[in-house]
Amino acid sequence: MSHIDTIQKTLITGDEETLLDQVREALDQGVAPQDILSQALIAGMDIVGERMESGEMFIPEVLMSAQAMGRAVEILKPLLGDEESASSGRIIIGTVKGDLHDIGKNLVVMMLESSGFEVTDLGVDVSPDDFLKAIEEVNPHIVGLSALLTTTIPMMRETVSKIIESGKRDTLKIMVGGAPVNQEFADEIGADAYAADAGAASKLAKSMLG
Ligand code: B1M
């Protein structure tokens, strides 16, 4: 079995310590960190999602895989990205209110940071008011909203509306993403950009800030 297959299989079992050993071993053997991330970890989480949906895996098991993935990503983090030094701009980002999914958002944060952005990560379950508070404090160039549930993407619309009401809309760009989000929805709620994945988010952020 290849390193990629082995890592993916272990991620699905949620055996964190074995996963970390296998990731380190694959890196030692010259497997590219980007391949470990996309082909083993992200693809593995997709399988976890399918099994969750079909009832083969339950929430505690999914959480074990999610936690193991977070630790594995920490190992890969310094090895990915452009490592630019000058600040490319200030970004605040969070998963919207009612939504606790943060693995994808954390990957977006990682890519943005490694592209030189100063990122303020507000975490998960972030209310429109908390976004507004952070906008006041940080005066960001970009606000990023993440959501993974069809039931929480309406909260993106509400957050954008609150930003408009606050009078701050013209001072910043809004980027949205997450599995149930698409370009059409982004246009509909008045966001400036939609990114399908972490790589696209970093490219878009750079292009939006010229
Ligand atoms: Co949840 N969950 N979950 N879950 N979970 C999904 C999303 C689901 C699709 C699973 C399924 O049924 N197939 C389903 C949603 C169905 C729907 O809404 N249509 C679901 C459900 C139903 C639920 C609960 C309601 C289950 C329950 O309690 N009955 C519950 C809700 C809790 C809540 O949020 N209030 C719940 C809970 C959980 C856990 C806590 C167990 C755990 C989250 C742990 C954590 O995040 N710390 C969890 C997980 C792990 C998943 C799956 C399996 C994996 C998500 C993930 O991390 N993917 C997921 C199934 C799936 O997606 N295949 C599922 C990997 C990640 C790298 O991808 O997050 O898409 P993703 O991020 C990508 C892009 O979307 C994009 O870039 C990222 C990196 O490339 N992106 C952005 C994301 N944000 C962006 C922001 C941007 C730009 C790009 O700009 C700002």
Side-chain angles (χ1 to χ4, degrees), residues 42 45-46 48-49 52-53 59 62-63 66 69 93 98-105 107-108 144-146 148-151 175-179 195-198 201:
I42 295 182
M45 275 322 274
D46 281 343
V48 170
M52 182 178 171
E53 199 166 15
I59 302 288
V62 176
L63 261 180
M69 169 141 180
I93 188 167
D99 200 320
L100 304 175
H101 295 85
D102 67 357
I103 297 174
K105 171 192 63 69
L107 286 175
V108 173
L145 310 177
S146 179
L148 260 288
L149 299 170
T150 43
T151 48
M175 176 160 65
V176 293
D197 57 40

Side-chain angles (χ1 to χ4, degrees), residues 39-189:
Q39 294 169 25
L41 300 176
I42 295 182
M45 275 322 274
D46 281 343
I47 298 172
V48 170
E50 284 159 20
R51 294 192 183 175
M52 182 178 171
E53 199 166 15
S54 66
E56 280 169 85
M57 279 178 81
F58 298 102
I59 302 288
E61 295 162 304
V62 176
L63 261 180
M64 281 170 70
S65 297
Q67 273 161 17
M69 169 141 180
R71 294 277 313 278
V73 167
E74 284 298 315
I75 296 180
L76 300 176
K77 197 171 166 176
L79 307 171
L80 294 161
D82 299 331
E83 302 293 345
E84 288 170 17
S85 51
S87 169
S88 311
R90 289 182 303 280
I91 301 184
I92 64 169
I93 188 167
T95 302
V96 297
K97 188 167 169 10
D99 200 320
L100 304 175
H101 295 85
D102 67 357
I103 297 174
K105 171 192 63 69
N106 294 345
L107 286 175
V108 173
V109 170
M110 190 177 91
M111 285 300 290
L112 291 171
E113 282 177 341
S114 61
S115 299
F117 291 97
E118 276 173 59
V119 184
T120 304
D121 184 357
L122 303 178
V124 297
D125 195 20
V126 184
S127 69
D129 283 343
D130 288 340
F131 274 107
L132 285 186
K133 250 185 249 157
I135 290 170
E136 285 293 340
E137 282 166 24
V138 176
N139 191 21
H141 301 96
I142 299 177
V143 174
L145 310 177
S146 179
L148 260 288
L149 299 170
T150 43
T151 48
T152 54
I153 55 172
M155 192 48 74
M156 286 184 158
R157 187 194 301 274
E158 205 171 316
T159 306
V160 173
S161 302
K162 284 268 172 121
I163 295 173
I164 295 170
E165 278 169 31
S166 76
K168 291 276 177 186
R169 180 68 183 92
D170 294 341
T171 69
L172 49 85
K173 303 279 185 197
I174 299 176
M175 176 160 65
V176 293
V181 183
N182 56 32
Q183 185 65 56
E184 200 186 345
F185 180 75
D187 294 341
E188 195 188 307
I189 65 170

